[in-house]
Amino acid sequence: MAATAGAYEKLKLHITPEKFYVEACDDGANDVLAIDRVSTEVTLTVKKDVPPSAVTRSIYGILGTIRLVAGNYLIVITKKKKVGECFNHAVWKATDFDILSYKKTMLHLTDIQLQDNKAFLAMLSHILNVDGFYFSTTYDLTHTLQRLANTSPEFQEMSLLERADPRFVWNGHLLREFAAQPEIHRFALPVMHGFIAMHSCSINGKYFDWVLISRRSCFRAGVRYYVRGIDSEGHAANFVETEQIVHYNGSKASFVQTRGSIPFFWSQRPNLKYKPKPQISKVVNHMDGFQRHFDSQIISYGKQMIVNLVNQKGSEKPLEQTFAKMVNSLGNGMVRYIAFDFHKECSRMRWDRLQLLMDQLSEQQDEFSYFLVDSDGKVVTQQDGIFRSNCMDCLDRTNVIQSLLARRSLQAQLQRLGVLHVGQRIEEQAEFEKIYKNAWADNANACAKQYAGTGALKTDYTRTGKRTQWGLIMDGWNSLIRYYKNNFSDGFRQDAIDLFLGNYSVDEVESVSPLHIQKDWKFLALPIIMVVAFSMCIICLLMAGDTWTETLAYVLFWGTASFGTLAIIFYNGKDFVDAPKLVQKEKMD
């Protein structure tokens, strides 16, 4: 990669009342970025222009700028942790950030504006505290090895920001002002969100690097129950591209898979029920978005093998039927479909039955192959098709299947590279197998925390190859936390994502902020009535009346009142959950 294309690695931030100065401290660099705190103008200057009175600190990158009620803010990376090296390029995880106000005082704001500004800052802090922001100042993390191998010399000379895949640059909106000024691109650091694991491994005394990268798309990003299906552009909810890379003796191999929500218009709004019923929209033409989705998938990845893991009975059944029907009507030979009822097939801990699915997919996987480039840089094989797996959330079942497909590809790659002897299986390499399983389980956890708010389910199987009783208990616990978050804190999480990605922009002139939507009286009254009635019911039980009939009458009265109120609350469940306020999510129900 051309040296000019990298971003600056060593930075110092100098703060004065008028300006922020970001100084590049790489060898031979003399550039200083000056950000005017009053006019918000961004210009390039030199080191001698930095006033000696400035307050100075080290930073590791600029995430970008954002406008809130109080004016502009600069977001910088203040801590980083090394994940490892990808072909001698350091890869980092950003672990701490700072949000700095351009304005020196908040006196120009009313009380309500102060309150709103505080709420927006809390949203930004929330997003920045979600684990999984990664960057490299010298390597393009947003593209697969195969895409990077098929690029032009002009592409090689572009800055990291210009050449990055916009689907996977999570601070794209925050860097929009920088993007418009090519001369400052070396200060602009594209940051991806997802998961990266890098390990130096050895089998048969042969050392190789094994890397797992999951890139979360920032199009149609959000939380589990508020973003499902696709949007009119064909972007699928919770879309993740996962690449597994092997580097041995100068040769590099990679295998890519994707996961993403079922790609037509459906929703599953939280309504206090444990599992809200999915609704397929009846008013839109599904085929438009569906076709757009697969057209762009084919351009990016080639042939598509859909692996649909949802239940084929109950509330998930209509989704499976509609998906199969739409693939048929699409009539595109590049798109194939297979449905596997994961829960039914593997019920009662019969996880060995996953082999049934792997056998069905093996021929297809051999046909798709994988990407391989030898130590001279010559491309030996290309991957010309991809597995697109999904369950309802594209988290738990999906990750299990992806780890099995990736292992099968790795088996072929390591044999071809001469790391594994003929007849040797990866499963028998105890030390590597442990690294492999744990990395895939960590990958599941990272994607699940980012989308559903808790760790993944079924990771005991990914880690150990067995379903354990303890794993079932942990799944139950995670399901409970998911239930709570999905109903009572996901509106805030969705708003935070929409603000960060620029789906919602703070407007100074907006007289009433969407954060102040007044709730109806019943939302306060009903829960209070229910708690009072339930407490009275308990008190009557504990403090018996003069006769048992009197006690029974009181208990029945307060019991009926508390259950009646609870029933009304559940009946109006949609109104009691924490819904997003900033961007109106399509109302499809």
Side-chain angles (χ1 to χ4, degrees):
M1 184 170 143
T4 52
Y8 288 125
E9 186 173 0
K10 300 188 185 79
L11 300 172
K12 275 203 178 96
L13 174 66
H14 309 279
I15 302 175
T16 70
E18 290 74 41
K19 290 185 178 177
F20 295 123
Y21 295 94
V22 182
E23 177 193 345
C25 302
D26 294 23
D27 294 342
N30 188 38
D31 282 350
V32 173
L33 192 68
I35 301 173
D36 193 304
R37 294 175 69 171
V38 183
S39 73
T40 76
E41 203 183 355
V42 183
T43 51
L44 212 50
T45 171
V46 288
K47 289 182 186 176
K48 65 175 194 303
D49 287 349
V50 180
S53 59
V55 180
T56 300
R57 58 193 281 197
S58 284
I59 59 169
Y60 298 106
I62 299 173
L63 205 65
T65 61
I66 191 166
R67 157 155 227 109
L68 301 182
V69 185
N72 274 26
Y73 284 81
L74 174 70
I75 309 177
V76 293
I77 300 169
T78 55
K79 282 190 190 145
K80 63 178 183 178
K81 186 173 130 202
K82 190 164 181 181
V83 183
E85 298 219 341
C86 204
F87 318 123
N88 301 324
H89 297 280
V91 174
W92 306 90
K93 179 192 247 186
T95 55
D96 212 351
F97 304 86
D98 218 343
I99 307 170
L100 307 163
S101 174
Y102 284 34
K103 293 278 197 292
K104 298 176 272 300
T105 155
M106 298 284 167
L107 294 173
H108 59 295
L109 299 181
T110 64
D111 283 353
I112 288 183
Q113 285 177 315
L114 272 171
Q115 214 181 321
D116 284 353
N117 202 62
K118 205 171 149 191
F120 287 132
L121 280 171
M123 287 176 192
L124 288 181
S125 300
H126 169 80
I127 285 287
L128 296 171
N129 283 329
V130 176
D131 201 25
F133 287 103
Y134 297 90
F135 66 91
S136 169
T137 55
T138 54
Y139 184 74
D140 186 346
L141 285 173
T142 64
H143 289 290
T144 63
L145 285 191
Q146 183 159 315
R147 283 202 295 265
L148 288 175
N150 294 330
T151 53
S152 63
E154 295 80 56
F155 178 87
Q156 304 289 332
E157 275 153 35
M158 287 180 184
S159 67
L160 282 178
L161 181 61
E162 283 173 291
R163 53 183 274 173
D165 186 329
R167 294 179 300 169
F168 306 125
V169 181
W170 268 65
N171 57 336
H173 169 70
L174 303 177
L175 287 175
R176 69 204 177 287
E177 288 179 0
F178 286 54
Q181 293 174 257
E183 70 279 7
I184 61 173
H185 277 187
R186 294 196 67 181
F187 287 96
L189 187 65
V191 174
M192 63 157 262
H193 199 216
F195 175 77
I196 300 182
M198 298 182 156
H199 295 279
S200 289
C201 311
S202 127
I203 294 179
N204 296 328
K206 292 170 180 166
Y207 288 87
F208 61 95
D209 289 327
W210 179 79
V211 179
L212 187 63
I213 302 179
S214 276
R215 308 171 174 102
R216 280 191 82 201
S217 172
C218 56
F219 298 134
R220 196 153 177 74
V223 297
R224 186 183 182 206
Y225 281 144
Y226 285 112
V227 284
R228 293 294 212 192
I230 49 171
D231 60 18
S232 56
E233 302 292 302
H235 300 305
N238 201 21
F239 183 85
V240 183
E241 172 188 275
T242 300
E243 179 175 26
Q244 175 179 268
I245 297 172
V246 178
H247 184 205
Y248 172 67
N249 251 351
S251 294
K252 304 171 206 169
S254 118
F255 178 66
V256 180
Q257 305 178 68
T258 61
R259 57 176 83 179
S261 195
I262 298 176
F264 45 80
F265 299 94
W266 62 285
S267 62
Q268 195 178 12
R269 292 269 177 281
N271 57 4
L272 298 182
K273 294 200 173 101
Y274 179 67
K275 244 186 156 178
K277 196 174 172 201
Q279 309 278 342
I280 299 172
S281 171
K282 295 186 176 69
V283 294
V284 295
N285 177 359
H286 293 283
M287 211 57 203
D288 284 354
F290 190 81
Q291 180 131 24
R292 270 187 190 166
H293 176 74
F294 281 108
D295 285 349
S296 71
Q297 291 297 294
I298 289 166
I299 291 167
S300 298
Y301 304 105
K303 294 180 190 133
Q304 302 286 306
M305 181 75 213
I306 298 162
V307 184
N308 187 3
L309 304 167
V310 302
N311 300 344
Q312 290 169 31
K313 61 175 205 291
S315 66
E316 296 181 12
K317 181 183 176 180
L319 292 169
E320 192 279 316
Q321 290 175 323
T322 308
F323 201 173
K325 203 156 68 193
M326 291 188 69
V327 173
N328 268 336
S329 342
L330 191 64
N332 184 334
M334 298 283 277
V335 182
R336 292 183 218 165
Y337 177 89
I338 189 166
F340 181 82
D341 190 331
F342 190 104
H343 286 149
K344 181 180 150 221
E345 295 292 347
C346 303
S347 62
R348 298 197 292 283
M349 309 282 227
R350 287 155 62 210
W351 288 65
D352 51 292
R353 292 178 63 79
L354 289 173
Q355 196 51 49
L356 294 174
L357 176 62
M358 300 317 289
D359 293 343
Q360 277 178 285
L361 298 175
S362 60
E363 196 180 321
Q364 191 73 68
Q365 189 169 8
D366 297 340
E367 184 197 314
F368 287 168
S369 189
Y370 46 81
F371 176 72
L372 176 65
V373 55
D374 67 17
S375 48
D376 303 327
K378 187 172 146 288
V379 174
V380 184
T381 62
Q382 300 245 24
Q383 182 177 340
D384 68 353
I386 203 157
F387 290 98
R388 184 205 190 277
S389 314
N390 73 275
C391 44
M392 288 298 279
D393 301 321
C394 310
L395 295 176
D396 314 314
R397 298 172 257 188
T398 299
N399 196 78
V400 170
I401 296 305
Q402 284 198 335
S403 71
L404 295 176
L405 286 165
R407 182 197 268 119
R408 197 171 172 278
S409 182
L410 190 63
Q411 173 79 32
Q413 290 165 2
L414 292 178
Q415 265 171 346
R416 186 160 189 171
L417 293 170
V419 174
L420 284 175
H421 304 323
V422 180
Q424 266 188 326
R425 312 277 313 148
I426 291 182
E427 290 86 332
E428 296 150 11
Q429 317 306 316
E431 202 177 314
F432 175 73
E433 185 70 348
K434 194 174 165 194
I435 291 173
Y436 180 87
K437 285 177 167 168
N438 280 321
W440 271 98
D442 294 342
N443 176 59
N445 270 336
C447 292
K449 279 194 180 115
Q450 292 157 10
Y451 187 55
T454 72
L457 313 182
K458 305 178 177 56
T459 50
D460 55 332
Y461 179 78
T462 316
R463 281 187 207 282
T464 63
K466 289 197 277 293
R467 203 70 168 101
T468 59
Q469 295 297 337
W470 176 244
L472 285 172
I473 291 166
M474 283 313 293
D475 281 2
W477 174 244
N478 273 331
S479 298
L480 268 178
I481 296 175
R482 270 188 199 180
Y483 171 79
Y484 174 79
K485 287 196 169 177
N486 297 159
N487 284 288
F488 304 113
S489 67
D490 269 3
F492 175 81
R493 284 176 60 220
Q494 184 62 51
D495 283 341
I497 292 169
D498 285 327
L499 177 69
F500 188 85
L501 294 176
N503 301 333
Y504 174 84
S505 296
V506 175
D507 188 358
E508 304 158 88
V509 293
E510 202 165 31
S511 50
V512 182
S513 127
L515 297 174
H516 298 288
I517 299 165
Q518 283 301 311
K519 284 235 166 182
D520 193 346
W521 64 269
K522 68 171 183 255
F523 301 117
L524 294 168
L526 287 171
I528 293 170
I529 293 169
M530 191 193 87
V531 171
V532 169
F534 187 69
S535 311
M536 290 301 291
C537 182
I538 301 295
I539 291 167
C540 294
L541 270 174
L542 297 175
M543 300 170 64
D546 297 342
T547 62
W548 68 268
T549 45
E550 189 184 345
T551 306
L552 185 65
Y554 280 130
V555 169
L556 276 174
F557 174 76
W558 289 115
T560 309
S562 55
F563 277 106
T565 324
L566 187 65
I568 295 169
I569 289 174
F570 262 88
Y571 182 75
N572 296 293
K574 274 203 175 102
D575 302 327
F576 282 88
V577 296
D578 175 41
K581 299 185 175 86
L582 299 185
V583 179
Q584 274 307 300
K585 298 288 153 205
E586 322 66 76
K587 294 274 183 281
M588 295 186 203
D589 326 318

